[in-house]
Amino acid sequence: MTNLKGALSALIVAGSMASGAMADPVDDTLIINEELTIVTRTAAPAHVADVLDEVMSGWLFRGTETRAMQADDFDNPGMIFVEQAEDVWNTADGSEGKSCADCHGASSDMSDVRPTFPKWNDAAEKVFTLEMQINDCRENRMGAEKWKYTGGDIVNMTALLASVSRGKPVNVAIDGPAQSTWEDGKELYYTRTGQLELSCANCHEDSYGKMIRADHLSQGQINGFPTYRLKNTKLNSAHARFKGCVRDTRAETYSPGSPEFVALELYVASRGNGLSVEGPSVRN
Amino acid sequence: MRVSIITTIAAAVSATALGAAEIAPTAVSFEDGTVSQSLSGVAGDPASGSEIVGSKKLGNCIACHQVSDLADVPFQGEIGPSLDGAGERWTEAELRGIVANAKIMFEDTMMPSFYKTEGFIRPGNAYTGEAADDTFGPLLTAQQIEDVVAYLSTLKE
């Protein structure tokens, strides 16, 4: 019995490897506006090298037309929201009568920011996502209302801050004070949730490159966030995507902005250290 | 026509009579990953089984497996092996064990446990993202498992 099972699982492994190869990521290079080359695959960072050789952007797993849309800002529907956020960046709001630009200068001066988020915030003594940082400025520096965590205003602003960082390598810190949050995120990544008992790793580490029903599984990287999805024709934040993926395991999800998703975001971002920031990206 | 109505009634009656014989998800006995006793006490219906295997709303086995016999169902996944010839590779008891709870035969497999109600982390109410409530049941009923097993048994290479 044991031998039989062994032989069969050997067959199964061989079979699934063969079919996996059929749906491999494409061999293609993303060059935006014919000038900016995006790193969509690179050697895995040390902290995931035991499970992945290479890390790959979700762009490599999408179809020809979807990939082409992201290569030209005129065709990328996400860029409309970047323009809207640029206006907001320059508009005063709140009791202090200040705009983001009043304190930070041009949005293009922020190009080193997106690659390092989520990151530890000393004053708050916790890891901040970009959304948390933006809301912190609105509440505590501008005297303005917080934006809804996954609402249009904030997702547009994260698209602006991603767009000015495009081409720069994701480089989140996982040590120092952020380390315990990173470890919480790692634990969540490998936890098999819901009635289907599936973890992020089951789909995005063990099965990337394969088809699950109609979907070509990627590594579930977040270097492309926020993503403009053709499916819902709007920008989607990483936490909204996490929520959808957890829901699809027939689980009770966590909420966007919850400590669990902040930790998960830090961990997932760190798996893409070395890939270029490419948000707002286009996905189906 | 009349005959079939009577047969249906007879089947229904015997199913009810055997109601007590239905094995609850928590009471299934596995031997090396196999389950020899019928879960419902009623023979499986391969036609219904084929529907369950192909339907996104029921077994959704096609999300992960290819089945040539269901060639008209689009978008067959490739997470698990093709189920072609499953009826030759496995006995009925093995198939029942695999479909009821594949994790006993294949440790740590990605394949969901279709006849299990306990031991989940953050179980949800289907695909709503909300917590499970008291309507929570196994992914497939005892009879649906029997139907799927009956269908898989017909898959010969």
Side-chain angles (χ1 to χ4, degrees):
Chain A
M1 188 64 201
T2 315
N3 280 342
L4 176 64
K5 258 198 258 175
L8 278 168
S9 46
L11 268 176
I12 289 167
V13 169
S16 51
M17 270 165 66
S19 55
M22 288 181 338
D24 267 349
V26 290
D27 188 7
D28 196 0
T29 307
L30 174 56
I31 303 174
I32 295 178
N33 302 333
E34 293 179 357
E35 57 181 25
L36 180 63
T37 303
I38 297 288
V39 175
T40 55
R41 63 199 303 164
T42 191
H47 54 270
V48 280
D50 55 333
V51 287
L52 296 174
D53 293 334
E54 266 190 315
V55 288
M56 299 174 202
S57 161
W59 182 80
L60 293 170
F61 297 82
R62 307 282 55 96
T64 315
E65 283 161 32
T66 311
R67 289 202 312 278
M69 286 173 85
Q70 203 186 315
D72 188 327
D73 281 354
F74 286 108
D75 296 333
N76 180 343
M79 292 309 288
I80 296 159
F81 303 100
V82 167
E83 279 169 34
Q84 291 175 9
E86 181 64 40
D87 290 341
V88 175
W89 180 265
N90 293 301
T91 307
D93 194 4
S95 59
E96 303 302 304
K98 290 224 157 71
S99 69
C100 316
D102 286 334
C103 296
H104 293 292
S107 58
S108 56
D109 292 345
M110 302 289 275
S111 67
D112 289 328
V113 176
R114 171 73 270 185
T116 63
F117 271 84
K119 83 171 179 201
W120 181 257
N121 184 289
D122 273 330
E125 294 190 347
K126 59 181 169 190
V127 169
F128 263 18
T129 61
L130 198 51
E131 285 89 342
M132 289 159 77
Q133 174 67 61
I134 293 167
N135 267 338
D136 187 68
C137 283
R138 285 186 57 81
E139 271 195 303
N140 300 321
R141 310 219 178 248
M142 301 168 68
E145 298 256 305
K146 270 203 317 195
W147 280 327
K148 180 174 176 274
Y149 197 88
T150 52
D153 292 315
I154 207 158
V155 81
N156 290 359
M157 189 57 74
T158 64
L160 172 65
L161 292 171
S163 73
V164 298
S165 304
R166 283 186 296 178
K168 296 217 169 172
V170 174
N171 183 22
V172 296
I174 64 170
D175 52 2
Q179 188 180 340
S180 70
T181 305
W182 181 82
E183 271 158 12
D184 291 347
K186 180 174 184 182
E187 166 121 20
L188 283 166
Y189 192 86
Y190 287 98
T191 299
R192 300 185 63 161
T193 57
Q195 195 173 9
L196 300 184
E197 296 175 282
L198 293 170
S199 68
C200 314
N202 284 138
C203 286
H204 294 300
E205 178 176 296
D206 303 338
S207 313
Y208 69 86
K210 293 187 195 170
M211 299 301 292
I212 187 161
R213 198 105 203 191
D215 292 310
H216 189 197
L217 280 170
S218 73
Q219 290 184 345
Q221 297 284 358
I222 53 174
N223 60 305
F225 276 78
T227 56
Y228 180 87
R229 292 189 67 188
L230 303 168
K231 181 178 165 179
N232 59 16
T233 63
K234 60 172 192 173
L235 286 176
N236 296 261
S237 68
H239 290 201
R241 188 45 133 149
F242 294 170
K243 188 176 169 186
C245 280
V246 176
R247 181 199 60 215
D248 287 351
T249 68
R250 294 176 77 107
E252 179 188 3
T253 63
Y254 299 98
S255 306
S258 64
E260 289 85 1
F261 273 176
V262 172
L264 188 61
E265 181 179 341
L266 175 61
Y267 178 69
V268 176
S270 79
R271 292 175 68 100
N273 271 357
L275 292 173
S276 296
V277 171
E278 57 171 82
S281 66
V282 185
R283 301 287 189 261
N284 47 313
Chain B
M1 186 63 195
R2 177 170 240 198
V3 175
S4 72
I5 289 176
I6 291 170
T7 334
T8 316
I9 292 172
V13 168
S14 64
T16 325
L18 284 166
E22 179 169 309
I23 301 174
T26 47
V28 183
S29 84
F30 286 86
E31 243 172 88
D32 288 331
T34 74
V35 176
S36 43
Q37 207 181 336
S38 165
L39 298 178
S40 66
V42 176
D45 168 10
S48 151
S50 117
E51 162 97 27
I52 295 165
V53 168
S55 159
K56 205 171 176 172
K57 295 217 158 65
L58 297 168
N60 200 17
C61 317
I62 291 297
C64 293
H65 294 286
Q66 288 164 335
V67 185
S68 308
D69 182 54
L70 298 178
D72 54 328
V73 180
F75 305 123
Q76 305 198 355
E78 49 187 16
I79 305 289
S82 161
L83 296 182
D84 292 0
E88 245 155 49
R89 282 192 296 281
W90 307 100
T91 65
E92 184 189 301
E94 285 169 333
L95 288 171
R96 189 179 289 113
I98 294 171
V99 181
N101 188 350
K103 291 181 185 73
I104 298 176
M105 178 90 77
F106 312 112
E107 211 185 325
D108 296 333
T109 184
M110 246 179 98
M111 179 159 156
S113 304
F114 287 90
Y115 201 61
K116 177 177 141 172
T117 47
E118 292 180 340
F120 300 111
I121 297 170
R122 297 180 73 84
N125 182 356
Y127 291 105
T128 61
E130 306 291 326
D133 56 22
D134 50 14
T135 63
F136 189 80
L139 289 166
L140 295 176
T141 64
Q143 191 56 46
Q144 286 173 324
I145 302 274
E146 292 305 319
D147 293 351
V148 168
V149 169
Y151 173 63
L152 295 176
S153 301
T154 69
L155 299 178
K156 311 264 156 125
E157 213 97 55

